[in-house]
Amino acid sequence: MTAPGYEDFTADNGWMENFGCVEIVREELSSANKTRELWDSLMARIQFGDTVVIPKLSNALRGARQLVFFLEFCRVKNIRLVSIHDRIDSGNELFPETQTSDVLTAIALLPQEANAIRKSSRHISRIKKHIESISDKAMGRAERNRRVVNMYLEGFSIDEIFQKSGFRSRSSVFRILNDANVQLDRGRWKGPLGPRKKKKGEGE
């Protein structure tokens, strides 16, 4: 994502091409449009075992809270994360000189850098309000399901996902998360949902 005063995108683009990236996404956000359509689309297309390369953590993530959910997303999907200017490679191949203190510093500076880029903490709530509705007409069933999983891992509540999903019941959201083996870590439910208990009088 472009940031005010950031002029290294040409060099970053060349680095990514040399590294072997098959798709490079550059998202420019205007003051009138704060949604992350390209980022959301990219997250929906990422498959198990892929590699994600970003210029800096603060150019891709909105703050420490989203970082936590993004790292969990990478863990669940076995995604290798490379941050060029933070000199971080979760595959432990690049940047051998990077020390644990360097990684912790990058994480500690993320909120400050992210706030400077976006200029307002209220930006997060505006993004949620303008997220494009998920529907069968807008995307295929598989992509919609991936979007539901990604939204949960990014920190959205079940109610927020349900409102944007077009489903008629919240149980559909839980079913998708359960099928993806997502650990439910907030709200009333913890961990994947088990089989539905039969009500009295139901047949085998």
Side-chain angles (χ1 to χ4, degrees):
M1 189 187 72
T2 58
Y6 190 78
E7 300 177 352
D8 292 338
F9 284 105
T10 299
D12 293 340
N13 193 91
W15 196 101
M16 293 176 184
E17 289 180 345
N18 292 333
F19 184 71
C21 293
V22 297
E23 179 182 5
I24 299 176
V25 178
R26 176 176 176 178
E27 186 166 41
E28 297 183 8
L29 300 185
S30 65
S31 58
N33 182 14
K34 301 298 185 180
T35 58
R36 299 289 304 279
E37 295 179 358
L38 295 182
W39 172 262
D40 291 340
S41 176
L42 178 65
M43 292 297 100
R45 297 194 306 278
I46 289 177
Q47 299 181 9
F48 187 90
D50 280 349
T51 297
V52 175
V53 180
I54 58 177
K56 284 178 67 70
L57 293 174
S58 56
N59 280 104
L61 304 170
R62 298 191 290 261
R65 184 171 181 265
Q66 190 184 38
L67 172 64
V68 173
F69 289 103
F70 180 64
L71 293 179
E72 174 66 5
F73 171 82
C74 291
R75 185 192 68 81
V76 170
K77 290 204 170 188
N78 193 31
I79 302 300
R80 178 185 177 186
L81 173 63
V82 175
S83 179
I84 301 173
H85 296 287
D86 295 318
R87 305 190 67 77
I88 296 173
D89 175 18
S90 65
N92 299 318
E93 295 180 8
L94 305 173
F95 320 123
E97 73 282 2
T98 298
Q99 300 180 357
T100 302
S101 59
D102 299 321
V103 177
L104 294 177
T105 297
I107 294 174
L109 291 176
L110 174 60
Q112 177 182 340
E113 294 180 353
N115 286 336
I117 291 174
R118 293 145 188 87
K119 295 183 178 181
S120 173
S121 60
R122 290 177 298 178
H123 177 59
I124 295 177
S125 61
R126 289 198 296 268
I127 287 176
K128 292 183 178 181
K129 291 179 181 179
H130 289 85
I131 286 182
E132 183 178 353
S133 295
I134 307 169
S135 67
D136 289 323
K137 293 181 180 180
M139 61 186 70
R141 183 181 301 274
E143 185 175 353
R144 180 199 60 190
N145 292 355
R146 286 196 296 269
R147 184 76 175 274
V148 168
V149 172
N150 292 341
M151 287 181 69
Y152 187 85
L153 293 177
E154 287 187 0
F156 293 95
S157 68
I158 295 295
D159 285 341
E160 289 173 316
I161 298 173
F162 170 67
Q163 291 172 4
K164 302 297 182 181
S165 67
F167 289 125
R168 294 184 178 181
S169 68
R170 289 175 174 77
S171 62
S172 297
V173 176
F174 285 109
R175 174 180 54 79
I176 291 173
L177 297 176
N178 190 44
D179 290 344
N181 292 319
V182 173
Q183 294 289 330
L184 304 185
D185 56 7
R186 55 188 178 276
R188 181 178 176 183
W189 291 273
K190 308 293 182 182
L193 298 178
R196 185 176 68 87
K197 296 182 178 179
K198 292 183 179 295
K199 296 180 180 179
K200 185 176 181 180
E202 286 185 335
E204 294 296 332

